Amino acid sequence: MRMEKEALLALLNKYSVPFCTADLDMNIPIQPWRCNRKYVELEKLVSSNTLEHLCLLRFCHLTDAKTELKDLLYREFDIAEFVTGHNIVALHAAFTNERSGSVIITLDNGVIGSIEVGNLLPEGQAEVDRHEMIARRGVGSDIVVDTQLPQQSIYLMTDKPEAFKDTDSELFGLNDKQIELVRAHFAFLKDKSKKEWHAAQDAHLLAAVKAAFESNETHKKIVL
């Protein structure tokens, strides 16, 4: 968290954004992934009507055991709502030992989504995620079609292979999640008018996550 705070402070100073010490607390529930370029571009495909008559979402997010299933669900539910511009109104979930599973969601415009989640990857292995949107005319995806693993920009093939991918010219050295967090808080501190909206969205997402585990226990569809 220290690197993120230092990066946030640098941006605030660079662009002369007023702030106080308390503003550097980065625990505000502001759904930081909404600043990720790939999700922003997916949202544009829908809002610009490039994808016509959206029908189906196919999401997948796999991590190691350091990430809890509830956190994966929270993130993926919000991404689904962000890229489509519609809220989840019902879901049906099935999990295995709360380590993996899938959720079928229904949005308020009738679009259906399949979300696969799991935290069974070997410790330290890079996360694997994929977000596809299928419409009557057009398909949107945040990774290249037929790609199984997210690609990196540079691969260093040595005794211990390494990969590098910098996606923000002002935040070199930070990974995607760190960049999301810094950019989201920077945008929030520039304009705090959406503070209540973020709090309401957080409550909504937490309720959806709770409903998913309830659905898994009862084996029934839950209407939110």
mmCIF file of all heavy atoms in Angstrom, residues 51-70:
data_model
loop_
_atom_site.group_PDB
_atom_site.id
_atom_site.type_symbol
_atom_site.label_atom_id
_atom_site.label_comp_id
_atom_site.label_asym_id
_atom_site.label_seq_id
_atom_site.Cartn_x
_atom_site.Cartn_y
_atom_site.Cartn_z
ATOM 1 N N LEU A 51 -21.743 -2.656 -30.267
ATOM 2 C CA LEU A 51 -22.363 -3.967 -30.087
ATOM 3 C C LEU A 51 -23.869 -3.747 -30.026
ATOM 4 O O LEU A 51 -24.355 -3.072 -29.113
ATOM 5 C CB LEU A 51 -21.874 -4.635 -28.803
ATOM 6 C CG LEU A 51 -20.402 -5.027 -28.717
ATOM 7 C CD1 LEU A 51 -20.115 -5.668 -27.366
ATOM 8 C CD2 LEU A 51 -20.027 -5.976 -29.840
ATOM 9 N N GLU A 52 -24.587 -4.311 -30.970
ATOM 10 C CA GLU A 52 -26.030 -4.092 -31.025
ATOM 11 C C GLU A 52 -26.785 -5.254 -30.399
ATOM 12 O O GLU A 52 -26.528 -6.418 -30.692
ATOM 13 C CB GLU A 52 -26.478 -3.908 -32.473
ATOM 14 C CG GLU A 52 -25.917 -2.644 -33.127
ATOM 15 C CD GLU A 52 -26.433 -2.449 -34.539
ATOM 16 O OE1 GLU A 52 -27.235 -3.287 -35.006
ATOM 17 O OE2 GLU A 52 -26.038 -1.466 -35.172
ATOM 18 N N HIS A 53 -27.724 -4.920 -29.522
ATOM 19 C CA HIS A 53 -28.585 -5.914 -28.878
ATOM 20 C C HIS A 53 -27.767 -6.946 -28.091
ATOM 21 O O HIS A 53 -27.714 -8.130 -28.441
ATOM 22 C CB HIS A 53 -29.482 -6.620 -29.896
ATOM 23 C CG HIS A 53 -30.295 -5.695 -30.737
ATOM 24 N ND1 HIS A 53 -31.322 -4.932 -30.208
ATOM 25 C CD2 HIS A 53 -30.227 -5.378 -32.048
ATOM 26 C CE1 HIS A 53 -31.863 -4.194 -31.168
ATOM 27 N NE2 HIS A 53 -31.207 -4.441 -32.301
ATOM 28 N N LEU A 54 -27.133 -6.491 -27.044
ATOM 29 C CA LEU A 54 -26.337 -7.367 -26.182
ATOM 30 C C LEU A 54 -27.203 -8.500 -25.643
ATOM 31 O O LEU A 54 -28.322 -8.278 -25.182
ATOM 32 C CB LEU A 54 -25.749 -6.550 -25.026
ATOM 33 C CG LEU A 54 -24.737 -7.248 -24.127
ATOM 34 C CD1 LEU A 54 -23.492 -7.628 -24.911
ATOM 35 C CD2 LEU A 54 -24.351 -6.331 -22.959
ATOM 36 N N CYS A 55 -26.664 -9.727 -25.705
ATOM 37 C CA CYS A 55 -27.433 -10.902 -25.292
ATOM 38 C C CYS A 55 -26.826 -11.643 -24.104
ATOM 39 O O CYS A 55 -27.549 -12.107 -23.234
ATOM 40 C CB CYS A 55 -27.554 -11.885 -26.462
ATOM 41 S SG CYS A 55 -28.309 -11.237 -27.941
ATOM 42 N N LEU A 56 -25.498 -11.766 -24.098
ATOM 43 C CA LEU A 56 -24.866 -12.665 -23.135
ATOM 44 C C LEU A 56 -23.504 -12.148 -22.692
ATOM 45 O O LEU A 56 -22.741 -11.625 -23.501
ATOM 46 C CB LEU A 56 -24.699 -14.054 -23.774
ATOM 47 C CG LEU A 56 -23.979 -15.131 -22.956
ATOM 48 C CD1 LEU A 56 -24.812 -15.522 -21.748
ATOM 49 C CD2 LEU A 56 -23.692 -16.347 -23.826
ATOM 50 N N LEU A 57 -23.218 -12.320 -21.401
ATOM 51 C CA LEU A 57 -21.900 -12.032 -20.846
ATOM 52 C C LEU A 57 -21.243 -13.349 -20.463
ATOM 53 O O LEU A 57 -21.895 -14.234 -19.894
ATOM 54 C CB LEU A 57 -22.010 -11.153 -19.603
ATOM 55 C CG LEU A 57 -22.772 -9.839 -19.713
ATOM 56 C CD1 LEU A 57 -22.805 -9.152 -18.350
ATOM 57 C CD2 LEU A 57 -22.151 -8.930 -20.757
ATOM 58 N N ARG A 58 -19.949 -13.468 -20.753
ATOM 59 C CA ARG A 58 -19.185 -14.647 -20.329
ATOM 60 C C ARG A 58 -17.921 -14.152 -19.644
ATOM 61 O O ARG A 58 -16.984 -13.701 -20.303
ATOM 62 C CB ARG A 58 -18.838 -15.533 -21.530
ATOM 63 C CG ARG A 58 -20.028 -16.187 -22.183
ATOM 64 C CD ARG A 58 -19.629 -16.949 -23.431
ATOM 65 N NE ARG A 58 -18.622 -17.964 -23.149
ATOM 66 C CZ ARG A 58 -17.982 -18.650 -24.099
ATOM 67 N NH1 ARG A 58 -18.222 -18.399 -25.365
ATOM 68 N NH2 ARG A 58 -17.088 -19.546 -23.767
ATOM 69 N N PHE A 59 -17.901 -14.224 -18.310
ATOM 70 C CA PHE A 59 -16.791 -13.721 -17.511
ATOM 71 C C PHE A 59 -16.093 -14.887 -16.810
ATOM 72 O O PHE A 59 -16.726 -15.871 -16.421
ATOM 73 C CB PHE A 59 -17.275 -12.741 -16.438
ATOM 74 C CG PHE A 59 -17.739 -11.409 -16.965
ATOM 75 C CD1 PHE A 59 -17.801 -11.146 -18.316
ATOM 76 C CD2 PHE A 59 -18.125 -10.406 -16.077
ATOM 77 C CE1 PHE A 59 -18.223 -9.922 -18.799
ATOM 78 C CE2 PHE A 59 -18.561 -9.171 -16.537
ATOM 79 C CZ PHE A 59 -18.612 -8.928 -17.903
ATOM 80 N N CYS A 60 -14.795 -14.734 -16.613
ATOM 81 C CA CYS A 60 -14.020 -15.727 -15.866
ATOM 82 C C CYS A 60 -12.905 -15.009 -15.124
ATOM 83 O O CYS A 60 -12.252 -14.124 -15.692
ATOM 84 C CB CYS A 60 -13.447 -16.772 -16.815
ATOM 85 S SG CYS A 60 -12.374 -17.992 -16.018
ATOM 86 N N HIS A 61 -12.675 -15.363 -13.864
ATOM 87 C CA HIS A 61 -11.597 -14.759 -13.090
ATOM 88 C C HIS A 61 -11.047 -15.805 -12.123
ATOM 89 O O HIS A 61 -11.750 -16.285 -11.231
ATOM 90 C CB HIS A 61 -12.112 -13.551 -12.305
ATOM 91 C CG HIS A 61 -11.011 -12.671 -11.802
ATOM 92 N ND1 HIS A 61 -11.205 -11.376 -11.409
ATOM 93 C CD2 HIS A 61 -9.672 -12.896 -11.612
ATOM 94 C CE1 HIS A 61 -10.069 -10.830 -11.013
ATOM 95 N NE2 HIS A 61 -9.128 -11.759 -11.121
ATOM 96 N N LEU A 62 -9.777 -16.159 -12.317
ATOM 97 C CA LEU A 62 -9.121 -17.188 -11.513
ATOM 98 C C LEU A 62 -7.894 -16.611 -10.824
ATOM 99 O O LEU A 62 -7.106 -15.887 -11.442
ATOM 100 C CB LEU A 62 -8.705 -18.364 -12.399
ATOM 101 C CG LEU A 62 -9.797 -18.968 -13.294
ATOM 102 C CD1 LEU A 62 -9.201 -20.046 -14.183
ATOM 103 C CD2 LEU A 62 -10.938 -19.512 -12.457
ATOM 104 N N THR A 63 -7.713 -16.928 -9.553
ATOM 105 C CA THR A 63 -6.570 -16.451 -8.773
ATOM 106 C C THR A 63 -6.040 -17.572 -7.890
ATOM 107 O O THR A 63 -6.563 -18.691 -7.898
ATOM 108 C CB THR A 63 -6.978 -15.276 -7.850
ATOM 109 O OG1 THR A 63 -7.833 -15.782 -6.805
ATOM 110 C CG2 THR A 63 -7.724 -14.195 -8.621
ATOM 111 N N ASP A 64 -5.002 -17.250 -7.090
ATOM 112 C CA ASP A 64 -4.558 -18.206 -6.081
ATOM 113 C C ASP A 64 -5.366 -17.979 -4.799
ATOM 114 O O ASP A 64 -6.256 -17.119 -4.750
ATOM 115 C CB ASP A 64 -3.051 -18.113 -5.833
ATOM 116 C CG ASP A 64 -2.607 -16.752 -5.289
ATOM 117 O OD1 ASP A 64 -3.456 -16.019 -4.753
ATOM 118 O OD2 ASP A 64 -1.409 -16.427 -5.399
ATOM 119 N N ALA A 65 -5.053 -18.731 -3.756
ATOM 120 C CA ALA A 65 -5.870 -18.731 -2.547
ATOM 121 C C ALA A 65 -5.796 -17.433 -1.740
ATOM 122 O O ALA A 65 -6.563 -17.247 -0.792
ATOM 123 C CB ALA A 65 -5.471 -19.913 -1.655
ATOM 124 N N LYS A 66 -4.877 -16.520 -2.100
ATOM 125 C CA LYS A 66 -4.776 -15.268 -1.359
ATOM 126 C C LYS A 66 -6.000 -14.374 -1.571
ATOM 127 O O LYS A 66 -6.263 -13.465 -0.779
ATOM 128 C CB LYS A 66 -3.507 -14.521 -1.770
ATOM 129 C CG LYS A 66 -2.220 -15.201 -1.314
ATOM 130 C CD LYS A 66 -0.994 -14.397 -1.723
ATOM 131 C CE LYS A 66 0.279 -15.083 -1.259
ATOM 132 N NZ LYS A 66 1.498 -14.322 -1.665
ATOM 133 N N THR A 67 -6.724 -14.608 -2.644
ATOM 134 C CA THR A 67 -7.932 -13.835 -2.926
ATOM 135 C C THR A 67 -9.155 -14.675 -2.595
ATOM 136 O O THR A 67 -9.292 -15.802 -3.069
ATOM 137 C CB THR A 67 -7.984 -13.413 -4.405
ATOM 138 O OG1 THR A 67 -6.818 -12.679 -4.732
ATOM 139 C CG2 THR A 67 -9.214 -12.558 -4.673
ATOM 140 N N GLU A 68 -10.041 -14.137 -1.778
ATOM 141 C CA GLU A 68 -11.238 -14.867 -1.395
ATOM 142 C C GLU A 68 -12.289 -14.805 -2.496
ATOM 143 O O GLU A 68 -12.353 -13.848 -3.268
ATOM 144 C CB GLU A 68 -11.814 -14.300 -0.093
ATOM 145 C CG GLU A 68 -10.914 -14.494 1.114
ATOM 146 C CD GLU A 68 -11.576 -14.038 2.398
ATOM 147 O OE1 GLU A 68 -12.779 -14.335 2.587
ATOM 148 O OE2 GLU A 68 -10.907 -13.371 3.202
ATOM 149 N N LEU A 69 -13.130 -15.829 -2.521
ATOM 150 C CA LEU A 69 -14.159 -15.918 -3.547
ATOM 151 C C LEU A 69 -15.108 -14.716 -3.498
ATOM 152 O O LEU A 69 -15.531 -14.205 -4.533
ATOM 153 C CB LEU A 69 -14.944 -17.223 -3.381
ATOM 154 C CG LEU A 69 -15.462 -17.873 -4.669
ATOM 155 C CD1 LEU A 69 -14.327 -18.224 -5.590
ATOM 156 C CD2 LEU A 69 -16.297 -19.109 -4.340
ATOM 157 N N LYS A 70 -15.410 -14.241 -2.306
ATOM 158 C CA LYS A 70 -16.333 -13.113 -2.164
ATOM 159 C C LYS A 70 -15.772 -11.854 -2.818
ATOM 160 O O LYS A 70 -16.524 -11.038 -3.367
ATOM 161 C CB LYS A 70 -16.656 -12.855 -0.691
ATOM 162 C CG LYS A 70 -15.473 -12.456 0.180
ATOM 163 C CD LYS A 70 -15.899 -12.249 1.625
ATOM 164 C CE LYS A 70 -14.716 -11.864 2.516
ATOM 165 N NZ LYS A 70 -14.132 -10.568 2.151
#
